[in-house]
Amino acid sequence: MDVLIGFVIALIGSIVTTAICIAIVWRLDRHEKEPVRMLALAFVWGMLPAVIISIVLEAGQAALFGGSAGGNVLADVGVAPVVEESAKGLALLAFLVFFYREL
């Protein structure tokens, strides 16, 4: 039960702080504000699909190279950041391809 409470507190805290940062950046953009739906879509992408893609790819590399996903320090330090940030970057690439007039 303590883990669940900690998870909920972390989730609420991350959503609130991210919403505040997004509001500040959106408010400071004076010339051409990004549509709120695109900001929301980017936030949701980083929260769900990018995380799922990262988990699958990191579990695959752990199975491929042996060991557990958290046991191989070199893979955790070298592979995890590249995989996670690349998964987030897919959303930016999709925005560039599909919503290029909005950027």
Side-chain angles (χ1 to χ4, degrees):
M1 189 67 171
D2 292 336
V3 173
L4 182 61
I5 292 171
F7 176 76
V8 169
I9 290 171
L11 182 66
I12 291 170
S14 65
I15 289 173
V16 169
T17 54
T18 302
I20 290 170
C21 289
I22 288 173
I24 290 170
V25 170
W26 191 76
R27 180 95 170 141
L28 289 175
D29 188 3
R30 296 179 184 202
H31 299 291
E32 184 180 349
K33 294 185 185 284
E34 304 303 329
V36 175
R37 65 181 169 84
M38 285 183 62
L39 291 174
L41 185 62
F43 176 67
V44 170
W45 175 266
M47 188 173 65
L48 292 175
V51 171
I52 293 168
I53 290 170
S54 298
I55 289 171
V56 169
L57 291 176
E58 288 173 19
Q61 73 86 22
L64 185 64
F65 296 112
S68 65
N72 190 346
V73 175
L74 183 60
D76 291 345
V77 172
V79 175
V82 173
V83 169
E84 292 167 11
E85 297 307 318
S86 297
K88 291 176 191 174
L90 288 174
L92 298 177
L93 185 60
F95 285 153
L96 183 62
V97 170
F98 297 112
F99 303 109
Y100 61 92
R101 293 178 189 232
E102 298 291 337
L103 297 178

